[in-house]
Amino acid sequence: VPSFTTPVTTSILPDPVPITFTMTQIGTGIGSLDPTTGVFRLDITINTRLGSPDALFAGFLGTNCEMGPASLTLRSVAPFDLSHPDPEATITDSGFAFPAAHGCGSNGGLDQVLNPALELPTTATDATLRVVFSKGAPVEPATTTTTVVPTTTTAAATSLPAPSASTSTSAPPMPGPPPTGPADPIAGPEGPLVAAAPRPVTRVPDYVG
């Protein structure tokens, strides 16, 4: 954090007192760099807190003694040398408004002492900032890794009772109907024998003479 300490002469103390000015940026700065001309511009807003390495005077100032906010528009005084491995330039702004200090001392009681001593508010201002660009290695795109956790589904097991031992008695097969076709030939020594069909017998009555 940029800061500096300087002696300040006030109307209430015979000797100068050291006051430390600590600057902080408010919000987001907006910068632009023209790749063709190398001209750089930076818009920022800063706030300045007042403190002191003198513990006694720091106690008088309190923790809310501030100057600001002040808005700056800084521009490069010379184009960046973009062919350099680490191009750098100086950017400046002047004539920006710096408001009066406030919140200094108990209930702001030291505001009326510090503002005349610091000649605040004022536009007799000047700010200089040295900017260095580091090209470095290209930034790799961010990657997202998704891990899928397998889900195990357990089905409820169903147990069936074991079959009980039983004795089964099978009935003998029923005989089928007699064959209706011709009987199979019976094999004899000289070949199959054919059963002759029965001949009718005619009985001749006996005559007694």
Side-chain angles (χ1 to χ4, degrees):
V1 177
S3 63
F4 63 93
T5 301
T6 186
V8 175
T9 302
T10 66
S11 59
I12 61 173
L13 296 174
D15 298 322
V17 291
I19 295 181
T20 300
F21 300 83
T22 303
M23 290 166 285
T24 57
Q25 179 178 324
I26 300 175
T28 302
I30 301 175
S32 62
L33 173 63
D34 190 323
T36 303
T37 62
V39 174
F40 179 72
R41 168 177 170 162
L42 177 63
D43 295 326
I44 60 173
T45 300
I46 63 172
N47 193 53
T48 305
R49 182 180 296 273
L50 279 66
S52 178
D54 185 301
L56 181 61
F57 191 69
F60 284 125
L61 290 177
T63 58
N64 297 315
C65 184
E66 298 179 345
M67 297 161 46
S71 298
L72 292 74
T73 299
L74 300 107
R75 293 181 175 83
S76 55
V77 296
F80 274 76
D81 181 7
L82 299 178
S83 63
H84 193 277
D86 296 316
E88 62 179 71
T90 300
I91 56 177
T92 64
D93 188 15
S94 59
F96 55 90
F98 222 112
H102 54 89
C104 304
S106 178
N107 298 321
L110 290 180
D111 294 352
Q112 57 185 354
V113 175
L114 291 177
N115 285 323
L118 298 173
E119 299 180 358
L120 296 176
T122 183
T123 56
T125 54
D126 183 84
T128 301
L129 185 65
R130 178 172 169 265
V131 180
V132 178
F133 279 89
S134 180
K135 295 181 179 179
V139 178
E140 295 294 334
T143 58
T144 302
T145 302
T146 302
T147 303
V148 179
V149 180
T151 302
T152 303
T153 302
T154 303
T158 303
S159 299
L160 297 177
S164 59
S166 61
T167 302
S168 173
T169 303
S170 300
M174 298 295 293
T180 57
D184 293 336
I186 302 174
E190 304 214 356
L193 300 180
V194 178
R199 296 179 181 179
V201 177
T202 303
R203 182 179 178 84
V204 178
D206 297 333
Y207 291 93
V208 178

